[in-house]
Every structure is written in C-alpha cells, then in structure tokens.
Amino acid sequence: MPTSDQTFGEPFFDKLILHLDGTHGGPMNMAVDQAWLEQSATPVLRIYTWDQPTVTMGYAQSLPKLQDSLPGWPVVRRWTGGGVVLHNEDYTYSVIVPCTDPWAETPAVESYRRIHGALAQALAESGYPGSRLAEPEDVIEAPFCFVAPAVHDVILGPVKVAGAGQRRGKLGLLHQGSVQQVQIAPDFWAQWAAKLAREVLIIETTPEPIMTRATDLTKRRYSLPQWLAERDDLL
C-alpha cells in the first residue's frame, strides 16, 4: 500500500483507463461513475461535462436546508460526500479505484492528498505555478464547496481551484472532483494521468456494459425525486 512519504509525481497505479467521456445530464453523470466502480477491474480517471448548469450535493446533505440558497438549476445528489458544487464552466473528473487494486486501501486523508497533490503538480506545470495543497490555516467552513477550502484541496493563492468528495466501501474508492477558475488545455488530462499511472489507456467511447448499467442506475436511483430528497431509490 502506498505510504505518505512517496512524492506526488511518482505514479501510484500500474495501469489506468483515461475515459474522455462526453456530455451528459446530472443523473447520468453520477450513474456512469457508479457503473465504472461496480464493473471495472482497472482504475479509471473519467473526464466529463454537463448538458446544462447543474448543482451536485453531497450524499449526506439536506436539500430542504440548502434549497433557498441554490440557483434555479437542476440538482442531483452524489454518491460521494462533500459539499455543494455548482457545475457550469468547471472541469469535472472522477478517480475510480476498484477494491481489487491495493491502492483502494489507502486511508481517506492520504488518498485525497495524493490525488490532489498530483493534480496540483500537473496544474503547476501547465501555467499555474502557484498551485498547492491547502493547509489547516487555509480551511473555511461553509456548505458551498468552492468558497470553503478543506485540507488538501488545491488552491492558487487564496482561491480554491479543485475539491472533491469521496466514497469508499466494498466496491472500492470513488473520488469525484471539480476544477474551477483555471483554463485547462485538452492535453492536460493525459499529462495528469501520466502522473497517476505508469501505463495509461485512453478511451472516448463508454463501454456498452458501463452504459447499460448507467442507464439502469439513472432510472432507479439518480433521477428519482426520493433519491434527491431522502436518499431512497429502487435498488
């Protein structure tokens, strides 16, 4: 299992699938991540966009408590924790680690630090040399993710530019993140993926079994009003 004294630039996966996915609605975006976690035997870095401005809220958050402060955008509940994220002109990614990969056993704080450390390094090499991990003194408590840096989020000066929520369980690790307030070139994701893994396989088409399962998850979980309100679904 990786240790905390490894440098950020040392790849911690042997092989990684870089899935340059397309544009979907909020429920489908959440469902594709879960489908990958259920089915892939190889870690995945998935990059995707939204078909319209969308709000995602963390698994444990209360919609009634947040409702009055949200914009009038579609809202979807994530399977991961964390705060409210406004997805409009951001870059959205997920790191999916199956339970069969030893790295899925990495403690939560350390996995967050390592993933974001590699991201900060990639940003620093891509025109944002001030990118760094947030320290305890940078932390702000607030329900909206991008006005509230947490320890090991990526910040640029006083501005938070990357944060994420995680879920870990018997299926493995799901890390869903957003990068905001920077401009990223199309080749950035391959450069970052090379910091995460020694071998990177790039795909653009979602495998049929993943899409089939994601379509089912969209109907039976992520598009349901009861999932948004109370975390209830038909699964």
Side-chain angles (χ1 to χ4, degrees):
M1 183 167 62
T3 58
S4 60
D5 61 354
Q6 291 178 294
T7 60
F8 295 136
E10 181 181 348
F12 38 85
F13 300 128
D14 290 330
K15 185 176 181 179
L16 178 76
I17 297 170
L18 173 57
H19 181 198
L20 300 175
D21 199 359
T23 299
H24 304 288
M28 177 59 79
N29 271 331
M30 300 299 94
V32 172
D33 280 348
Q34 182 176 338
W36 270 119
L37 185 63
E38 292 177 350
Q39 297 188 19
S40 183
T42 302
V44 178
L45 171 60
R46 176 175 170 248
I47 312 301
Y48 55 96
T49 53
W50 308 79
D51 65 357
Q52 60 185 309
T54 301
V55 177
T56 63
M57 54 185 287
Y59 178 81
Q61 289 190 303
S62 168
L63 181 60
K65 292 181 180 179
L66 296 169
Q67 189 73 66
D68 291 344
S69 59
L70 298 178
W73 300 352
V75 182
V76 63
R77 184 183 295 278
R78 301 190 304 272
W79 208 28
T80 54
V84 173
V85 182
L86 307 182
H87 302 281
N88 188 4
E89 297 180 351
D90 66 329
Y91 306 89
T92 319
Y93 74 89
S94 298
V95 177
I96 300 138
V97 187
C99 63
T100 53
D101 190 292
W103 210 81
E105 301 176 9
T106 306
V109 172
E110 180 66 2
S111 63
Y112 201 88
R113 184 187 77 89
R114 293 289 309 283
I115 291 170
H116 280 185
L119 176 58
Q121 191 173 60
L123 286 169
E125 294 171 2
S126 301
Y128 297 97
S131 301
R132 65 179 179 88
L133 297 186
E135 301 291 345
E137 58 269 24
D138 301 306
V139 172
I140 298 173
E141 297 292 337
F144 282 78
C145 185
F146 274 81
V147 299
V151 171
H152 303 330
D153 281 342
V154 182
I155 59 176
L156 185 60
V159 178
K160 176 175 175 176
V161 297
Q166 289 193 351
R167 180 184 183 90
R168 48 184 60 239
K170 64 180 182 180
L171 294 173
L173 168 66
L174 173 59
H175 175 107
Q176 293 177 313
S178 175
V179 183
Q180 303 192 6
Q181 304 187 81
V182 293
Q183 294 297 314
I184 291 178
D187 62 354
F188 173 83
W189 304 113
Q191 295 171 10
W192 180 30
K195 294 184 180 299
L196 299 176
R198 295 172 180 85
E199 179 185 352
V200 178
L201 172 64
I202 300 176
I203 67 172
E204 296 186 4
T205 301
T206 306
E208 185 175 349
I210 299 295
M211 185 55 69
T212 298
R213 175 58 172 159
T215 300
D216 183 56
L217 286 167
T218 297
K219 295 176 181 177
R220 300 177 66 192
R221 170 170 284 172
Y222 292 104
S223 65
L224 297 180
Q226 59 264 38
W227 169 257
L228 181 60
E230 300 292 342
R231 302 190 295 270
D232 290 335
D233 55 33
L234 301 178
L235 297 175

